[in-house]
Amino acid sequence: MRFIKLLFLTSLLVVSLQAREQVNIKFSNLQISDFIKLVSKITHKNILVNNKVNGTVNLISTAPIYDDELLDILISVLESKGYTLVKKGSIYEIVRSVEAAKDNLSVVKRGKTPYGSLMVTQVIQIHGENVDIIASKIRYLISKTAKLMTMKENNKLLLTDYPKNIQTIKKVIKDIDIHNNMIVKIFDVEHTDAKKIQSKLSNIAKNIFNQKIAYEKVQIILDENLNAIIVVGTPQNVKIVQQLLKQLDVEANNSKRVEVFELKNSDAKSVLASLNSIVSKQVYSDPSMKPNISSSEEINSIIVVGEPIIIKAIKQIIDKLDREKYQVYVTARIVNINKTDSESIGVKYGFAAGNVSPSGIYAMSANFGSSALTNTASQSIINFLGNIGTAAKTGLALGATLDFLQTNGAAKDISNPSILCVNNKESSIYVGKTISIASGQTAVAGSTTSSFKREDVGLTLTIKPRVSSDDKVGLKVESTLGSIVDNGLENGIAVRQPVTSKETVKTEVILRNGESIIIGGLFKKSEQFSTSKVPLLGDIPLIGKYLFSSNGKTITKDSLVVILTPYIISKSEKLSALQEKLGQLTIMQNRYDEAIFSSIKEKAKKKQKLSTNTTKVDPKDAIFGIKGKR
């Protein structure tokens, strides 16, 4: 049946052949192998079939087609199956498409137009663009089995594809490879400095020409020897730059300007030092462009004389330097703690006390942090005060500890100063007094005159904050305690040089907003002498002093403790709100004290009652003084 069908089609073609150039052909579900035989017979070409190509082909035709178009149709059918035709002498061989480039395909000379139906190889020269860029743009146009290679050394494309595809690709390349249209023009600058013109033109060109499109870019180069401008670009863009150059190339008066920048948050002297440091490190192609910068402390302003473009850059720097700075509000509580009295309180209430160092105070404050009370107070702070400091609630137990010592006579508040510090600026607090100290005597005409000098006796705190974030601040603290050990007086007369003492503590800490730190190590030791005697008998000359009197000496050890709490203020208007919150925090501290003091005293009473009713005394209880009446 298939043979009869093929014979019928062949007869039909022979009958319909006109001038041996056109044929009428139409078939359906024809085997590809039969179609190959049909094309070979009509076109009179020898076709070598080394690979079996399966499948059928349909062709619907309403008009005659040329015989050479049959070869195109065959190649199209073969291509769909992964094969193609390759000419080897007088024979056409069916090979795999992916291997066709290796079968000595015809090479079309560069510049010539490829034609025909079979795959060929041609070299395409790229002129004004990078060959890899061109290849990436036209790669989607090549056939599925075509081969494309770039040669960077000579900026050429090596392409193996069907002639019609190559023709299409060459047309596309011609349209996108347009850098060869760039021209170079040299323009003399007659009335001004070419450096200034070049800077202005470059800035203008970046704004009016799309810098993301390579074709639109314009290069503006300075030639100092000719005082000229070299412009590289497309003819239309070069013409635009030429017109701008004519407008800018005019005789100009002194273009320098004077600007006065009033500072709002910074000191003019420090800003001037920063600006001069920056300007001194800059290199100016034209020394005359270097600005002149000075300051006016009277109006706290910076004065700049220079080119407008330079002044604009300096203004940006000043805006950055003159930003509102962080401030740190530091509250201080200076407390004098008696070591002997604090030890007595520890024995009385049964908790560690007496060690008045920072670690000792923190250990003692553990007794004032009842979990139930702390949770209640912490929640109250959050609800009642808001976020005045992320660590504010942790200071309740510490504050209650110091208040408890003071209530029981073991501590005394010396001062509660506060200071507002500017970030990275040193501030100081002095708490004390100035006294007169005898410095010597002068005898004139039988009379003696004493001379005195004024001496500061007290505590000096120097604080320098450094804010690292809205919630953390570093404090550089120096604490100095000055005191008089011996004033050098006997019976009101200066008999020796006075002796003073000075204790200094230096430290650096990093705290959270609202967190407290204890600064200790400032000790003061004093001696008090007393005499006791038997009434009447102690006043008997000679024997009363030795037989009926006795002398005693009392040594008192005090420790000066400084508690610092920083609060970060990002904006000055937040200071009033912070002070209001701190007042509310004081109320909260008093409420906390009342609750925790009552709890501690109640526990102490229960322990005392228990120890009184117990016949056997535990050695541990005896150490803490629980047994017996207070």
Side-chain angles (χ1 to χ4, degrees):
M1 183 67 185
R2 191 178 65 179
F3 176 77
I4 296 173
K5 186 177 181 180
L6 180 60
L7 182 61
F8 173 77
L9 288 173
T10 304
S11 302
L12 181 63
L13 289 174
V14 172
V15 172
S16 303
L17 187 63
Q18 298 179 2
R20 302 180 64 183
E21 294 181 355
Q22 292 182 326
V23 293
N24 290 321
I25 186 169
K26 180 179 179 181
F27 48 80
S28 176
N29 292 327
L30 181 66
Q31 292 292 324
I32 293 178
S33 57
D34 293 335
F35 182 59
I36 294 172
K37 295 176 183 178
L38 181 64
V39 172
S40 175
K41 187 169 184 179
I42 294 174
T43 60
H44 303 289
K45 299 186 184 297
N46 301 320
I47 300 177
L48 175 63
V49 183
N50 285 330
N51 298 283
K52 185 177 181 180
V53 185
N54 297 318
T56 60
V57 60
N58 299 310
L59 177 63
I60 300 172
S61 176
T62 58
I65 62 174
Y66 289 100
D67 54 357
D68 57 350
E69 290 179 334
L70 279 175
L71 197 62
D72 292 340
I73 295 174
L74 176 59
I75 291 173
S76 178
V77 171
L78 293 174
E79 184 72 23
S80 67
K81 301 298 181 179
Y83 295 92
T84 189
L85 281 180
V86 174
K87 187 176 182 181
K88 295 183 177 180
S90 62
I91 298 175
Y92 292 84
E93 182 180 354
I94 297 176
V95 298
R96 295 187 181 276
S97 299
V98 294
E99 299 175 356
K102 301 178 182 179
D103 283 285
N104 298 321
L105 299 181
S106 299
V107 177
V108 180
K109 291 185 178 180
R110 183 163 55 89
K112 299 293 183 179
T113 301
Y115 61 91
S117 303
L118 305 181
M119 294 184 81
V120 296
T121 298
Q122 188 173 31
V123 175
I124 303 173
Q125 179 69 55
I126 307 300
H127 297 283
E129 184 60 273
N130 183 282
V131 66
D132 288 328
I133 295 176
I134 294 294
S136 65
K137 294 176 180 178
I138 56 92
R139 192 176 296 276
Y140 79 98
L141 295 174
I142 66 177
S143 302
K144 182 171 63 175
T145 56
K147 302 294 182 181
L148 175 64
M149 185 178 70
T150 60
M151 296 178 286
K152 297 181 181 180
E153 61 274 10
N154 51 18
N155 212 47
K156 293 179 180 179
L157 285 174
L158 182 60
L159 178 61
T160 298
D161 203 345
Y162 295 102
K164 290 182 179 179
N165 273 4
I166 294 177
Q167 291 178 27
T168 301
I169 290 170
K170 289 174 69 175
K171 290 179 181 178
V172 173
I173 290 176
K174 184 177 180 181
D175 288 338
I176 64 177
D177 183 26
I178 53 179
H179 274 203
N180 54 337
N181 291 335
M182 296 287 184
I183 62 172
V184 178
K185 286 282 188 178
I186 300 176
F187 301 104
D188 294 328
V189 179
E190 299 178 359
H191 304 294
T192 186
D193 187 3
K195 294 179 183 178
K196 298 179 180 180
I197 295 290
Q198 188 245 359
S199 176
K200 295 176 181 178
L201 287 176
S202 296
N203 290 330
I204 294 172
K206 289 178 182 178
N207 286 280
I208 65 175
F209 302 126
N210 193 336
Q211 301 302 303
K212 296 181 180 180
I213 302 176
Y215 182 68
E216 286 289 318
K217 287 184 179 180
V218 175
Q219 293 185 13
I220 300 175
I221 305 167
L222 171 68
D223 189 326
E224 294 184 1
N225 294 329
L226 299 176
N227 196 46
I229 298 295
I230 303 172
V231 184
V232 182
T234 61
Q236 57 269 32
N237 288 354
V238 171
K239 187 175 181 180
I240 293 173
V241 174
Q242 182 182 10
Q243 293 173 351
L244 292 170
L245 178 60
K246 289 181 179 179
Q247 296 176 7
L248 295 173
D249 186 20
V250 294
E251 294 184 6
N253 296 324
N254 187 4
S255 59
K256 289 189 176 182
R257 288 167 44 190
V258 178
E259 289 286 347
V260 178
F261 299 99
E262 184 177 351
L263 304 181
K264 298 178 181 179
N265 302 294
S266 302
D267 179 64
K269 188 175 181 180
S270 61
V271 172
L272 175 64
S274 300
L275 290 174
N276 283 333
S277 176
I278 294 171
V279 171
S280 63
K281 295 176 182 178
Q282 301 299 311
V283 178
Y284 297 92
S285 57
D286 184 0
S288 64
M289 296 184 70
K290 185 175 182 180
N292 185 0
I293 308 174
S294 60
S295 66
S296 173
E297 296 185 16
E298 183 178 356
I299 58 175
N300 196 41
S301 299
I302 298 294
I303 304 167
V304 184
V305 180
E307 298 287 340
I309 190 171
I310 303 295
I311 292 179
K312 183 179 179 181
I314 291 176
K315 181 182 183 301
Q316 293 178 350
I317 299 173
I318 291 176
D319 290 341
K320 295 290 184 182
L321 295 175
D322 193 34
R323 291 185 300 181
E324 185 172 2
K325 296 175 176 58
Y326 277 106
Q327 297 182 86
V328 180
Y329 186 77
V330 182
T331 61
R333 183 176 182 180
I334 304 170
V335 183
N336 191 71
I337 303 176
N338 184 276
K339 181 176 177 64
T340 303
D341 292 341
S342 63
E343 286 177 346
S344 299
I345 292 174
V347 173
K348 181 177 180 180
Y349 290 98
F351 49 70
N355 181 1
V356 291
S357 66
S359 59
I361 294 174
Y362 280 125
M364 182 180 177
S365 67
N367 299 280
F368 294 83
S370 171
S371 60
L373 291 173
T374 302
N375 291 336
T376 301
S378 299
Q379 188 60 43
S380 298
I381 286 178
I382 294 172
N383 297 334
F384 184 55
L385 300 180
N387 185 23
I388 68 168
T390 54
K393 57 180 180 290
T394 63
L396 288 174
L398 178 60
T401 303
L402 298 173
D403 292 341
F404 189 80
L405 290 173
Q406 186 170 352
T407 303
N408 288 273
K412 180 182 179 182
D413 275 350
I414 302 300
S415 179
N416 294 299
S418 60
I419 185 171
L420 184 62
C421 310
V422 178
N423 190 32
N424 292 319
K425 295 287 186 179
E426 193 175 88
S427 302
S428 63
I429 303 173
Y430 173 71
V431 179
K433 58 184 178 179
T434 303
I435 63 174
S436 299
I437 300 177
S439 59
Q441 292 180 331
T442 303
V444 179
S447 62
T448 303
T449 303
S450 298
S451 58
F452 297 84
K453 64 178 181 179
R454 306 288 286 176
E455 187 78 22
D456 290 333
V457 179
L459 177 70
T460 302
L461 272 176
T462 303
I463 303 171
K464 184 178 181 180
R466 184 183 296 275
V467 178
S468 58
S469 69
D470 287 338
D471 192 46
K472 282 191 178 182
V473 58
L475 293 182
K476 185 176 181 181
V477 183
E478 181 176 347
S479 177
T480 303
L481 176 64
S483 61
I484 303 296
V485 178
D486 184 357
N487 59 11
L489 297 177
E490 288 186 7
N491 299 323
I493 301 174
V495 297
R496 56 185 174 272
Q497 288 293 323
V499 178
T500 61
S501 68
K502 182 179 290 186
E503 297 177 66
T504 301
V505 176
K506 293 182 179 180
T507 185
E508 291 189 25
V509 294
I510 298 176
L511 302 174
R512 289 180 295 165
N513 188 27
E515 186 176 17
S516 298
I517 183 69
I518 299 177
I519 298 176
L522 302 173
F523 292 95
K524 183 171 64 176
K525 181 180 178 182
S526 61
E527 298 179 351
Q528 293 181 347
F529 295 92
S530 61
T531 301
S532 60
K533 56 185 177 179
V534 178
L536 299 178
L537 296 178
D539 295 329
I540 299 174
L542 299 177
I543 62 172
K545 179 178 181 182
Y546 296 100
L547 298 179
F548 303 104
S549 300
S550 63
N551 296 323
K553 182 173 72 171
T554 302
I555 299 175
T556 303
K557 295 181 179 179
D558 293 332
S559 176
L560 199 65
V561 175
V562 180
I563 299 92
L564 298 178
T565 308
Y567 298 94
I568 300 171
I569 302 172
S570 57
K571 295 182 179 180
S572 56
E573 57 265 23
K574 293 184 179 181
L575 177 60
S576 299
L578 172 64
Q579 291 174 328
E580 181 181 350
K581 298 295 184 182
L582 291 178
Q584 295 170 344
L585 182 60
T586 301
I587 298 173
M588 183 63 66
Q589 180 72 65
N590 293 335
R591 294 177 183 175
Y592 185 85
D593 289 354
E594 291 176 5
I596 198 69
F597 290 178
S598 176
S599 175
I600 289 175
K601 290 178 181 179
E602 186 66 28
K603 290 179 182 178
K605 287 180 181 180
K606 290 180 180 179
K607 287 183 179 180
Q608 185 183 22
K609 184 177 180 180
L610 180 63
S611 62
T612 303
N613 297 331
T614 304
T615 56
K616 185 178 179 181
V617 180
D618 188 271
K620 182 179 178 182
D621 292 337
I623 292 174
F624 286 100
I626 295 177
K627 183 174 178 59
K629 296 182 178 180
R630 288 180 289 174

